[in-house]
Every structure is written in structure tokens, then in C-alpha cells.
């Protein structure tokens, strides 16, 4: 087995290092940097390159050579272009670097300020890097003439630039993101945003719904195993926190609707109705890092505390914050009366459990009619009151059937063979 692995590793390294586009009938180009985020492909980039090679298709990997320059001074022109959503040398700076800037500064777009030195420096550093990366990626596209490009996590600098250049040249761009089930991945052609916010099928086809308990999560979504003892006689409200710098938060939050304002509203409403609130930290925030490598270090809790958390509520009496993510999320969902989330995939799990679930922003499942949707934080209290009075939207059969259809009809297998087949079909002009 060890010998076989060494041979596969040698073959894949050789394939990835090949520069001549004439070796294969078709080529697919991907790009990343020293962060190596293309390794997020579930099957592994090495295995994928071997699987494609077996089908006569080459996977070319452009590793951006540029590095972030820590000695730059703030460039007002680049900072202005970022805030004004302008294009500089063919690169829309906001689209290309917003995700990375927010991850580095630990701020959401509406929290960034031109006048704040740390924000201006971060924007300048990432913008300078993006412009250099753009030139490199364009040279690779011209040299290799790929039939398709692969964007891994569509909001990182290299992927955003690669996808945009491919779009302008009419080259199909395959974008991917992890799904609710570890063995599947969400894919989209040409529109990276749709990977994060596609439209889940509303009308599920006939057939048995899947059991939400059988879903296998990705490792960084795995919660603890402890049960929680709710206070008796209280309305049980569960808030599922997300990674504060997640793309779904960055690109769907606003000054009035964001994780902090939502938590504060939930706490206020819960207290007014004599409820008890459990805030479940996202497992990744405890010991994980952002895609640019910066440790998250309980980012959401730190942001809440910066804004005065827990305000007028008392820990243990009004709420419990699972700061270590030791509690079992599935059991919390099962025992809660209401689940609230910004747009966490955990909300979909709650809907599959038949819970009354409130979400505050778009997600790929947000159009399903099993959710209560709020458009402003002021809507939360009245909706909680409606649910407490007996109003219901939750329907676990509808949610489970929709998830089953989504996994079967809108996702592909995360194994190298399935991904390779999908990419090759796209390169042949048969995908979609």
C-alpha cells in the first residue's frame, strides 16, 4: 500500500508540474497560492489530476508566485477603488479581495472604513497582490489555452480572478463548495456566487426522504457530544452561530442585519417571553483558522463582547453560550422549540428535524417554505410570538425530500472519479 501511494504521489506531482499544453487533448486550469486552498478539493488535487489524466485531460495548477508585501504604505487610490467597487487593470478589487480583507481584519464589509489605518493597509496589500496575481494568471491562460477552469472556494483572490478572466474569454468555469453531506459537493458552472447561493429545488420528486441523522458532516463542522439540560418550564431557543468571517456572512450581512444585531435581538426577544437561549459556537471558531491562515480564536464571541454582550441578560439565568462547542448540535436541535440562524447550513438540519426555524439571510436553501424568514431584526420578536402561539411552518418531510433531491440532482460525488468526469464533460462542452 505504501509503495502504491508513493507511485500515485510521484505520478501526480509529475502531472501537475507539466507545462506543455500539447500533452493532453484538453487542459483544465486551476490557481492558488502559498495558502494552497486547492487542496480543499475533497478527493485531493493529486488524485484528481491522476483521474483526469486517465481520461486524457490535464489538470494544470498555477501557483501564484506573488506574496503579500507587509512593508507597503496605504494607497488611497486602491482603497478608493475598493470602496467604490471599481475595476483597476481589469480587476474588480472588491470582488477579488473583499473575502481576504475581511478575514484578515476580522471585519465585515460594512464595518470596513477608509480612514482606519488597519483597513486601508489590508486593502492596499491585498489589492497589490491581486493585480500581480492577475497578470500571472492571465499569462497561464494564454499559454495553456484551457478548455475549462476550476475555482476552489470561489471568493479567494486567485479563484475570483481566474473565474472572471475565464468568463470574459468564454471559458467554462467550474466552481465548487462543500455540501451538507461529506460525500457530495455543490458545483456550478460560470457563476461562483451560485455555489454559495444556488436555488434548492422546491418541488421534490416522488420518493422516500432521507434521514437527517444519516448525514455525514465534514470534520470542521463536527460538534461536541455533550447534552444540555434546559431549564424546565421555559421556551427553548437555540441560536446556531456561524464563522463570523464565512463568505455567507461577509456577502449577506449589512449594518442593520448581521450576526451581532441578530444575537442581540434574539436575546432581547427571548428574555421578554421568559425563554431560555442557547448560543452554539461554530466548531471551527474554537480551534480552526480562516482560509488565509489566520486563527479564528472565538471570533464571533469576541465581536459580540466588543458590542457589549451579554447586554442586560444574565448567563445561566437567561442564556448559555457554548463557548467550547462541547454540546452536541443534533441533540440541541432535537430538544429546542425554535432554532434561529443567520443563514447557517445548520438551519437546514433543523428544518429536516421538523423544527420551527428562523433565518435572516439568503442561502441555497432559503427559498424552501419550511422556514420563517426575517428581513429586519425588528421582525424577530413578532415571529417568535407567532410560533409560541402555535403557528407552524416546519415540515420535516418537505425539508428532507428537498435535501435528498439537492444531493442527488444538484451535487456530484466528492470522489476523484466523479469530479474528473464532471470536469471533462464541461471541458467537452457537455456539462451543465
Amino acid at each position: 500500500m505504501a509503495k502504491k501511494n508513493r507511485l500515485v504521489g510521484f505520478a501526480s506531482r509529475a502531472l501537475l508540474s507539466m507545462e506543455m499544453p500539447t500533452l493532453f487533448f484538453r487542459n483544465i486550469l486551476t490557481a492558488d497560492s502559498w495558502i494552497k486552498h486547492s487542496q480543499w478539493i475533497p478527493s485531493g488535487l493529486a488524485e484528481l489530476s491522476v483521474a483526469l489524466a486517465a481520461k486524457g485531460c490535464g489538470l494544470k495548477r498555477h501557483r501564484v508566485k506573488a506574496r503579500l508585501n507587509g512593508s507597503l504604505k496605504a494607497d488611497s487610490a486602491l482603497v478608493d477603488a475598493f470602496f467604490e467597487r471599481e475595476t483597476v487593470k481589469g480587476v474588480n478589487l472588491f470582488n477579488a479581495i473583499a473575502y481576504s480583507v475581511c478575514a484578515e481584519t476580522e471585519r465585515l464589509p460594512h464595518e470596513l472604513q477608509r480612514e482606519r489605518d488597519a483597513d486601508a493597509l489590508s486593502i492596499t496589500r491585498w489589492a497589490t497582490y491581486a493585480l500581480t496575481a492577475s497578470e500571472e494568471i492571465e499569462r497561464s491562460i494564454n499559454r495553456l489555452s484551457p478548455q475549462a477552469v476550476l475555482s476552489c472556494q470561489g471568493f479567494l483572490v486567485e479563484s475570483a480572478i481566474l473565474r472572471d478572466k475565464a468568463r470574459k474569454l468564454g471559458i467554462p468555469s467550474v466552481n465548487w463548495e462543500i455540501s451538507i453531506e461529506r460525500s457530495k459537493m455543490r458545483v456550478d458552472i460560470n457563476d461562483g456566487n451560485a455555489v454559495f447561493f444556488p436555488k434548492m429545488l422546491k418541488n421534490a420528486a416522488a420518493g422516500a426522504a432521507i434521514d437527517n441523522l444519516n448525514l455525514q458532516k465534514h470534520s470542521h463542522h463536527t460538534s461536541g457530544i455533550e447534552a444540555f439540560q434546559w431549564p424546565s418550564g421555559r421556551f427553548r431557543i437555540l441560536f446556531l452561530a456561524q464563522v463570523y468571517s464565512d463568505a455567507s456572512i461577509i456577502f449577506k450581512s449589512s449594518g442593520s442585519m448581521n450576526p451581532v444585531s441578530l444575537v442581540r435581538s434574539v436575546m432581547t426577544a427571548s428574555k421578554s417571553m421568559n425563554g431560555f437561549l442557547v448560543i452554539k459556537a461554530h466548531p471551527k471558531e474554537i480551534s480552526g483558522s480562516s482560509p488565509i491562515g489566520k486563527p479564528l480564536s472565538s471570533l464571533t464571541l469576541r465581536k459580540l463582547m466588543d458590542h457589549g454582550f451579554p447586554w442586560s441578560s444574565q448567563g445561566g439565568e437567561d442564556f448559555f453560550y457554548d463557548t467550547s462547542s462541547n454540546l452536541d448540535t443534533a441533540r440541541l436541535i432535537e430538544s429546542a422549540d425554535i432554532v434561529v440562524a443567520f443563514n447557517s447550513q445548520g438551519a437546514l438540519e433543523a428544518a429536516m428535524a421538523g423544527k420551527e426555524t428562523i433565518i435572516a439571510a439568503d442561502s441555497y436553501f432559503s427559498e424552501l417554505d419550511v422556514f420563517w424568514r426575517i428581513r429586519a431584526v425588528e421582525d424577530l420578536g413578532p415571529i417568535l410570538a407567532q410560533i409560541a402561539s402555535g403557528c407552524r411552518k416546519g415540515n420535516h418531510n418537505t425539508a428532507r425530500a428537498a435535501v435528498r433531491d439537492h444531493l442527488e440532482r444538484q451535487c456530484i460525488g466528492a470522489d476523484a472519479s466523479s469530479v474528473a468526469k464532471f470536469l471533462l464533460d464541461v471541458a467537452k462542452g457537455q456539462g451543465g
Side-chain angles (χ1 to χ4, degrees):
M1 180 62 71
K3 182 177 181 180
K4 179 182 177 181
N5 289 339
R6 286 196 297 272
L7 289 174
V8 170
F10 174 79
S12 62
R13 285 193 297 274
L15 289 167
L16 287 170
S17 66
M18 291 177 178
E19 293 292 334
M20 293 300 292
T22 55
L23 179 62
F24 296 108
F25 182 67
R26 291 181 176 84
N27 288 299
I28 294 171
L29 176 64
T30 186
D32 66 4
S33 69
W34 71 97
I35 302 170
K36 302 178 182 177
H37 42 263
S38 65
Q39 292 181 358
W40 292 354
I41 294 177
S43 61
L45 196 64
E47 290 184 49
L48 179 59
S49 66
V50 171
L52 280 168
K55 299 176 182 295
C57 184
L59 179 63
K60 306 299 182 179
R61 181 179 183 180
H62 177 87
R63 281 185 171 173
V64 175
K65 298 180 176 62
R67 294 291 187 272
L68 286 176
N69 189 336
S71 62
L72 292 175
K73 295 182 179 179
D75 186 320
S76 59
L78 293 178
V79 173
D80 287 344
F82 174 85
F83 280 102
E84 299 301 326
R85 311 294 204 265
E86 293 177 352
T87 296
V88 178
K89 297 181 179 179
V91 178
N92 183 298
L93 289 184
F94 183 86
N95 291 344
I97 70 173
Y99 185 72
S100 299
V101 168
C102 289
E104 181 175 70
T105 61
E106 298 184 337
R107 299 181 186 279
L108 298 177
H110 70 270
E111 297 173 321
L112 295 170
Q113 297 179 18
R114 301 174 198 245
E115 299 77 16
R116 185 182 286 117
D117 290 343
D119 296 353
L121 285 171
S122 180
I123 291 168
T124 299
R125 280 159 30 89
W126 281 103
T128 302
Y129 167 75
L131 294 175
T132 304
S134 174
E135 294 174 355
E136 288 188 32
I137 291 171
E138 185 169 338
R139 286 196 294 269
S140 283
I141 291 175
N142 292 337
R143 183 178 72 252
L144 297 170
S145 299
Q147 279 69 46
V149 301
L150 173 62
S151 294
C152 312
Q153 216 283 12
F155 292 112
L156 288 163
V157 174
E158 303 79 15
S159 294
I161 290 173
L162 179 63
R163 184 177 69 243
D164 186 58
K165 290 187 178 297
R167 177 184 59 80
K168 292 175 180 177
L169 293 171
I171 302 171
S173 173
V174 176
N175 314 283
W176 78 270
E177 173 61 300
I178 61 175
S179 75
I180 194 171
E181 164 62 50
R182 185 170 56 194
S183 65
K184 298 281 189 175
M185 55 194 286
R186 303 205 306 266
V187 290
D188 175 78
I189 302 174
N190 297 333
D191 183 4
N193 194 53
V195 179
F196 287 85
F197 309 106
K199 303 305 179 187
M200 181 181 281
L201 300 171
K202 284 187 174 183
N203 300 315
I210 63 172
D211 184 346
N212 66 309
L213 298 178
N214 291 332
L215 291 174
Q216 297 297 311
K217 293 185 178 182
H218 292 260
S219 58
H220 57 269
H221 286 174
T222 303
S223 63
I225 60 174
E226 296 180 10
F228 181 73
Q229 187 63 46
W230 295 82
S232 61
R234 308 278 290 276
F235 207 70
R236 302 173 175 185
I237 304 173
L238 171 63
F239 183 88
L240 296 175
Q242 292 161 253
V243 174
Y244 192 84
S245 56
D246 186 82
S248 62
I249 298 287
I250 289 174
F251 293 103
K252 290 299 177 179
S253 65
S254 66
S256 59
M257 178 69 81
N258 56 69
V260 173
S261 65
L262 185 58
V263 169
R264 185 167 189 171
S265 181
V266 173
M267 293 187 75
T268 300
S270 175
K271 189 173 181 179
S272 69
M273 61 192 298
N274 192 34
F276 190 89
L277 172 67
V278 171
I279 303 173
K280 182 70 174 68
H282 192 287
K284 188 177 178 181
E285 281 207 346
I286 309 306
S287 57
S289 300
S290 72
I292 65 169
K294 184 172 183 175
L296 292 167
S297 304
S298 300
L299 177 55
T300 295
L301 179 58
R302 289 190 284 116
K303 299 296 284 190
L304 288 170
M305 295 184 72
D306 286 345
H307 288 80
F309 176 84
W311 301 289
S312 61
S313 297
Q314 299 296 319
E317 180 180 333
D318 301 312
F319 75 95
F320 175 78
Y321 197 125
D322 182 19
T323 55
S324 300
S325 193
N326 289 329
L327 298 178
D328 186 320
T329 303
R331 283 198 277 182
L332 277 174
I333 290 173
E334 288 291 342
S335 60
D337 295 310
I338 298 177
V339 177
V340 182
F342 191 79
N343 58 0
S344 168
Q345 195 163 248
L348 184 56
E349 296 178 52
M352 293 173 68
K355 296 296 175 177
E356 299 305 309
T357 308
I358 302 172
I359 55 176
D362 289 339
S363 186
Y364 69 93
F365 52 80
S366 56
E367 291 193 357
L368 293 177
D369 59 10
V370 297
F371 295 103
W372 297 82
R373 176 68 187 273
I374 62 172
R375 304 293 176 179
V377 290
E378 293 79 14
D379 299 336
L380 185 63
I383 287 179
L384 284 173
Q386 279 186 268
I387 297 172
S389 69
C391 295
R392 294 290 179 265
K393 278 192 174 184
N395 186 316
H396 71 279
N397 285 328
T398 297
R400 293 183 185 188
V403 170
R404 181 212 61 227
D405 271 19
H406 172 65
L407 292 174
E408 292 180 356
R409 298 162 61 185
Q410 295 179 306
C411 298
I412 65 172
D415 58 284
S417 178
S418 297
V419 178
K421 181 182 183 304
F422 184 82
L423 288 172
L424 188 59
D425 286 346
V426 172
K428 291 178 178 179
Q430 300 171 355

